[in-house]
Amino acid sequence: TMVFTPLKNIFGGNKKDDKKMAGVPESVLKKQATQAKIAEQAKQASYEAKQKKRQDKKDAIAAAEKYAAEYKAADEAAIANRRQAKAQGGFYVPAQPKVALVIRIRGTIGVSPKAKKIMQLFRLRQIHNACFVKLNESTVRMLRLIEPYVTYGYPTRSTIEKLILKRGFGKLNKQRIPIADNTVIAEGVGSLGIKCCADLIHEICTVGPNFKEANNFLWAFKLTSPRGGFSNKTKLVHFLEGGEAGNRGEEINKLVKRMI
């Protein structure tokens, strides 16, 4: 019996079979394995990052809801105490404010050395800079010394929230970084349990145990000149005498609204 061999097997053979026979260099195989390993690691890291982001979002929402319930309970308790005092023919005296918002309203010319140093400590280096200050005996005395150059008062929770959300910048590696999302806060003060905007606002409002670190993390607010402006005649006069400088109590909230 005669067997016919295909011509392609005699002359050159099959290209696929040739490739298999030739084999792949070991360096190429190693490179392919390394690239596959890197791709797998990147895929795993991406998956873990997505899971973490999802969990962080859940935690932030839970924290916001918890603080909202806490604020609501505090407001209701204050209203109940006021009504009770009125029914008994007395007066309800709320607790003294723990935090003040200080805004610089005058420039750098003609500032006394002591006042200049105090404003540097409060990080009020430019006109219309603002910062939060924890109220105690020493800070109240310092505020009295710089009254001609600043105005200050007691911000509401709403004002603190607007300032942080609209004008908030964090300090990361000595750089001014906008608080665009919670990762900036988590990177800056996450080790202290402050991981989202709700945590930061709560820490400032209630003057919590980590107030100093949270306040230092916040860059001094850079506000605009108020809509309607200051009057040149009244800018140097104390607020109680019809001017702009000094302690203005709750009225600071109206001024901040014009300056954000």
Side-chain angles (χ1 to χ4, degrees):
T1 314
M2 294 182 72
V3 178
F4 294 98
T5 307
L7 287 172
K8 67 178 181 179
N9 288 351
I10 298 168
F11 305 103
N14 195 342
K15 286 182 181 179
K16 288 182 182 177
D17 294 338
D18 285 353
K19 280 185 181 177
K20 284 179 186 175
M21 287 171 72
V24 182
E26 192 177 344
S27 59
V28 175
L29 289 173
K30 279 184 179 178
K31 190 176 181 182
Q32 286 175 350
T34 306
Q35 286 176 337
K37 190 179 178 184
I38 290 167
E40 184 60 35
Q41 286 173 347
K43 190 179 176 183
Q44 184 64 26
S46 173
Y47 174 75
E48 286 172 5
K50 280 181 184 175
Q51 291 295 102
K52 187 178 182 299
K53 193 175 180 182
R54 199 171 288 141
Q55 186 59 44
D56 288 348
K57 191 176 179 182
K58 282 183 184 176
D59 293 345
I61 292 168
E65 287 172 352
K66 184 183 82 173
Y67 295 138
E70 187 183 312
Y71 299 146
K72 189 180 177 185
D75 293 343
E76 286 173 354
I79 292 166
N81 289 335
R82 204 173 288 118
R83 284 176 180 165
Q84 188 181 351
K86 191 176 180 182
Q88 292 172 356
F91 294 98
Y92 170 66
V93 181
Q96 288 290 318
K98 296 178 183 177
V99 66
L101 178 68
V102 188
I103 303 172
R104 182 166 182 167
I105 59 169
R106 281 177 68 183
T108 55
I109 298 169
V111 181
S112 67
K114 190 176 273 189
K116 196 173 186 178
K117 181 65 181 172
I118 291 168
M119 284 194 279
Q120 281 178 0
L121 290 172
F122 285 156
R123 300 180 296 164
L124 303 173
R125 293 172 180 271
Q126 296 172 316
I127 192 167
H128 299 149
N129 272 13
C131 72
F132 296 115
V133 174
K134 184 179 180 179
L135 289 174
N136 54 40
E137 193 180 338
S138 59
T139 54
V140 168
R141 200 177 289 131
M142 288 161 83
L143 285 170
R144 293 227 177 95
L145 285 168
I146 60 169
E147 268 190 355
Y149 310 101
V150 301
T151 184
Y152 62 96
Y154 314 123
T156 59
R157 192 164 54 246
S158 171
T159 299
I160 293 170
E161 192 174 326
K162 280 177 187 170
L163 274 171
I164 291 173
L165 294 178
K166 289 187 177 183
R167 293 280 172 151
F169 283 78
K171 192 191 293 177
L172 289 179
N173 302 322
K174 298 182 180 179
Q175 291 182 314
R176 185 172 180 256
I177 308 295
I179 302 175
D181 54 25
N182 290 330
T183 53
V184 178
I185 297 170
E187 194 177 333
V189 282
S191 58
L192 303 169
I194 302 168
K195 294 181 180 177
C196 62
C197 265
D199 290 334
L200 187 61
I201 292 162
H202 182 262
E203 195 69 25
I204 299 292
C205 286
T206 58
V207 188
N210 298 314
F211 174 85
K212 184 182 174 183
E213 290 82 359
N215 196 25
N216 283 343
F217 163 72
L218 282 171
W219 202 280
F221 299 103
K222 295 188 177 188
L223 305 179
T224 61
S225 52
R227 285 191 299 278
F230 291 125
S231 167
N232 285 334
K233 291 177 183 176
T234 61
K235 200 174 182 181
L236 310 181
V237 182
H238 197 282
F239 183 75
L240 297 176
E241 296 169 357
E244 301 290 351
N247 186 0
R248 56 174 67 208
E250 299 290 330
E251 293 296 309
I252 194 75
N253 298 295
K254 291 179 183 175
L255 178 64
V256 170
K257 199 173 180 182
R258 286 163 56 208
M259 294 179 81
I260 285 181

